[in-house]
């Protein structure tokens, strides 16, 4: 499960709810790996609280900061007995360089292989694939030397993930990566949006934004004629922009027919009448020009999301 | 000739130089139509000065602000005898609503038909086609109700133009337009970048950025199921990002083989040794930490470009 960052934590929580359910709910054991984050235990605490409130049985934290720590058998053992693993945001290069190729890294691949749900948000999403965007420049037009690739944790093959996709304007670098590596399918995830990768290599989109998929199998490019940081020619890239409910086959690189029931509408239908009333009140007050309640609500949300401002 | 706005006016002037040449140079007569601009005669003055310095024979200004003025035969007559027409930036809706369907509008189509070069920058670029993006929201992800279409001046058929493309993050709205109207080929022009449309309906890219082409002929979409402003599903859009020198066939919707000599390198080669020396000096001073010269130069450029800040 790869999440574009800034997943909703206060309202519908469509994405995190799905994760907790896939991780077994009350019978599950979730391990939060917060190596990518620079906030120390705070990130673990935040998700522990969220997952427990959503009914997760047990939540453990793991935060190796050196390769030695990632080699400790206890961590790998914890992951081996987990039903779900959650990789927090932060810096994907920190995550891949501390964990990649260690006992913990191998345990993560094993967990994914045996069907435990492994979710990553933001940096954690970037790190799941074999090829990872380590860092790069923003902008819609592909340019030479725009993105830097490192080896990720290798849970997913043949894809490359970028996150905060619309919000940080990252189409250009994903096009540049795919043009240079057309064997990789590019997945750009908007914030509060996730791709649930099923065992049959199909994905399902959930959340508020879209997943942009770049298929470079028909691409003509001058990517091999690298010249400074000038625009790169990319012709014939196939682009898919899929909102919640749509499914895509990563193998055949095709949209799947039919639409899964919209997660957002479902979530909205679940809102209890009391909450609806509050919402109506907020709207009413805002309409009268006194939107302090709305502002307060935004600020509260903003504060929580600020904590994971780095990707 | 459709220009993405903010074309260079101080350095290489690749785009404006090409326009003046196509308009016949010293033997030519250029008419500047500044209806779109809110700056009054200033926009005309700016381009008049630029074109004359570049060796244009005669430069006239036309600025109808009402449909009555656009119906005056004198204006149409001026255009009928021009070798080149330049539509300034500003507000494309003002241009199309004042000029579209008037004597002047018909004269512009006639001029284009007989082979005079008609160039538009920014709003002027948007207005040249039969279908025009009047206004819309920015963002990389296509959403319902994101862009509003009006009838443009009708010089080019089967395309829809968007400008300041990378700089104002307009992929989403172009994808939304093309998904709803797959008969139109979407052209997104970066700033200081132009598509030269040849009579055989091929285009050539010149300038510093790229032209993004969106081909919706294979698209699957839920555009017809409009719901609020939520993300729109667009699957199978073919994307081309073409920098300077590349050519594209608007009919077959394919990249053309070969590359035209790079306009920028050519321009750089033309720089006289004296200018090179100044440039080297500027770099040297900047490297020493005293970059006041660079700043001054940027400010001067900024000032000129601010005048056409509205699109």
């Amino acid at each position: 499960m790869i999440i574009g960052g800034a997943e909703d934590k206060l309202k519908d929580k469509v994405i995190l709810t799905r994760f907790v359910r896939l991780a077994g709910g009350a019978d599950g054991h979730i391990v939060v790996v917060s190596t990518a984050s620079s906030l120390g235990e705070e990130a673990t605490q935040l998700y522990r609280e969220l997952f427990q409130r959503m009914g997760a049985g047990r939540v453990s934290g793991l935060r190796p900061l050196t390769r030695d720590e990632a080699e400790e058998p206890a961590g790998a053992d914890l992951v081996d007995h987990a039903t779900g693993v959650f990789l927090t945001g932060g810096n994907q290069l920190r995550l891949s360089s501390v964990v990649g190729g260690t006992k913990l890294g191998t345990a993560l691949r094993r967990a994914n292989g045996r069907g435990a749900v492994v979710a990553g948000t933001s940096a954690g999403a970037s790190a799941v694939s074999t090829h990872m965007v380590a860092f790069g420049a923003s902008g819609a037009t592909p340019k030479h030397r725009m993105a830097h690739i490192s080896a990720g944790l290798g849970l997913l093959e043949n894809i490359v993930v970028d996150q905060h996709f619309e919000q940080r304007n990252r189409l250009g670098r994903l096009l540049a990566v795919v043009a240079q590596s057309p064997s990789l399918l590019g997945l750009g995830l908007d914030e509060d949006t996730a791709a649930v990768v099923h065992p049959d290599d199909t994905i399902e989109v959930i959340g508020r934004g879209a997943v942009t998929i770049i298929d470079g199998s028909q691409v003509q490019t001058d990517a091999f004629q690298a010249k400074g940081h000038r625009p790169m020619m990319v012709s014939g890239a196939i682009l898919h922009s899929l909102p919640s409910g749509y499914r895509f086959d990563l193998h055949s690189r095709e949209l799947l027919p039919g639409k899964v029931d919209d997660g957002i509408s479902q979530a909205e239908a679940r809102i209890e009448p009391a909450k609806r009333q509050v919402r109506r009140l907020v709207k009413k007050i805002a309409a009268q020009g006194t939107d302090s309640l709305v502002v307060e609500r935004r600020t509260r949300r903003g504060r929580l999301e600020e904590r994971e401002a780095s990707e």
Side-chain angles (χ1 to χ4, degrees), chain A residues 20 47-60:
Chain A
V20 171
Y47 283 107
R48 189 200 305 271
E49 204 172 306
L50 283 165
F51 294 151
Q52 278 173 343
R53 267 198 233 164
M54 288 173 188
R58 190 184 153 199
V59 185
S60 312

Side-chain angles (χ1 to χ4, degrees), chain A residues 261-290:
Chain A
D261 255 353
D262 194 326
I264 292 172
S265 317
Q266 277 189 337
E268 270 165 7
R270 275 199 305 270
I271 298 171
E272 324 83 285
K275 215 164 173 180
R276 266 179 223 251
Q277 211 178 337
V278 171
R279 205 173 264 195
R280 226 175 289 138
L281 199 66
V282 168
K283 271 193 190 161
K284 206 172 158 187
I285 292 169
Q288 286 173 344
T290 317

Side-chain angles (χ1 to χ4, degrees), chain A residues 1 50 60 68 102 119 135 160 187 205 209 229 236 256 258 267 278 300:
Chain A
M1 193 168 165
L50 283 165
S60 312
D68 278 351
T102 64
F135 52 87
V160 60
L187 263 64
V205 180
H229 293 80
L256 290 165
V278 171
R300 200 181 147 214

Side-chain angles (χ1 to χ4, degrees), chain A residues 4 6 9 18 30 47 52 74 132-133 147 173 205 220 230 235 260 279 292 311:
Chain A
K9 296 172 190 73
R18 173 73 76 94
I30 294 170
Y47 283 107
Q52 278 173 343
M132 174 184 94
V133 178
R173 76 187 205 186
V205 180
Q220 294 184 60
R230 304 237 311 254
S235 171
V260 183
R279 205 173 264 195
S292 56
E311 85 185 37

Side-chain angles (χ1 to χ4, degrees), chain A residues 145-214:
Chain A
R145 298 167 213 267
M146 201 175 197
H148 292 255
I149 298 292
S150 304
L153 299 177
L155 278 67
L156 293 172
E157 288 175 1
N158 305 323
I159 66 165
V160 60
V161 175
D162 215 344
Q163 16 77 6
H164 300 280
F165 194 68
E166 161 159 51
Q167 291 75 15
R168 298 191 190 168
N169 202 7
R170 288 174 166 175
L171 177 74
R173 76 187 205 186
L174 194 59
L175 278 168
V177 167
V178 168
Q180 286 180 314
S181 310
S183 62
L184 304 176
L185 192 68
L187 263 64
L189 301 145
D190 290 353
E191 291 182 358
D192 196 16
T193 308
V196 183
V197 185
H198 296 292
D200 61 352
D201 273 350
T202 63
I203 63 164
E204 176 196 340
V205 180
I206 59 172
R208 290 193 184 268
V211 174
T212 301
I213 301 175
I214 307 286

Side-chain angles (χ1 to χ4, degrees), chain A residues 26-304:
Chain A
D27 303 322
H29 174 199
I30 294 170
V31 176
V32 176
V33 179
S34 59
T35 301
S37 171
S38 60
L39 297 171
E41 292 301 329
E42 262 185 273
T44 308
Q45 280 301 15
L46 169 67
Y47 283 107
R48 189 200 305 271
E49 204 172 306
L50 283 165
F51 294 151
Q52 278 173 343
R53 267 198 233 164
M54 288 173 188
R58 190 184 153 199
V59 185
S60 312
L62 258 187
R63 187 174 159 74
L65 293 176
T66 62
R67 293 186 66 80
D68 278 351
E69 286 172 21
E71 289 287 8
E72 282 171 17
D77 192 60
L78 201 64
V79 168
D80 275 337
H81 293 89
T83 57
V85 179
F86 193 88
L87 309 171
T88 69
N91 181 331
Q92 55 262 48
L93 212 44
R94 178 143 127 170
L95 181 57
S96 67
S97 57
V98 169
V99 173
T102 64
K103 281 205 175 66
L104 179 58
T106 312
L108 289 173
R109 295 173 70 152
R110 222 161 29 222
N112 185 59
R114 70 178 154 82
V117 54
V118 181
T121 185
S122 191
S126 287
V128 293
S129 60
T130 42
H131 296 76
M132 174 184 94
V133 178
F135 52 87
S138 66
T141 294
K143 297 187 178 77
H144 292 286
R145 298 167 213 267
M146 201 175 197
H148 292 255
I149 298 292
S150 304
L153 299 177
L155 278 67
L156 293 172
E157 288 175 1
N158 305 323
I159 66 165
V160 60
V161 175
D162 215 344
Q163 16 77 6
H164 300 280
F165 194 68
E166 161 159 51
Q167 291 75 15
R168 298 191 190 168
N169 202 7
R170 288 174 166 175
L171 177 74
R173 76 187 205 186
L174 194 59
L175 278 168
V177 167
V178 168
Q180 286 180 314
S181 310
S183 62
L184 304 176
L185 192 68
L187 263 64
L189 301 145
D190 290 353
E191 291 182 358
D192 196 16
T193 308
V196 183
V197 185
H198 296 292
D200 61 352
D201 273 350
T202 63
I203 63 164
E204 176 196 340
V205 180
I206 59 172
R208 290 193 184 268
V211 174
T212 301
I213 301 175
I214 307 286
D215 173 2
S217 50
Q218 312 293 325
V219 153
Q220 294 184 60
T221 182
D222 63 358
F224 50 90
Q225 295 164 300
K227 281 183 206 158
H229 293 80
R230 304 237 311 254
M232 178 191 286
M233 191 277 279
V234 180
S235 171
I238 302 166
L239 185 149
H240 311 265
S241 182
L242 309 182
S244 180
Y246 286 97
R247 296 177 309 132
F248 192 87
D249 187 323
L250 298 177
H251 261 307
S252 66
R253 300 186 166 193
E254 278 174 346
L255 179 74
L256 290 165
K259 196 183 166 191
V260 183
D261 255 353
D262 194 326
I264 292 172
S265 317
Q266 277 189 337
E268 270 165 7
R270 275 199 305 270
I271 298 171
E272 324 83 285
K275 215 164 173 180
R276 266 179 223 251
Q277 211 178 337
V278 171
R279 205 173 264 195
R280 226 175 289 138
L281 199 66
V282 168
K283 271 193 190 161
K284 206 172 158 187
I285 292 169
Q288 286 173 344
T290 317
D291 48 9
S292 56
L293 253 175
V294 176
V295 170
E296 196 186 309
R297 191 180 179 156
R298 280 206 191 117
T299 311
R300 200 181 147 214
R301 185 180 175 152
R303 221 178 297 135
L304 256 177

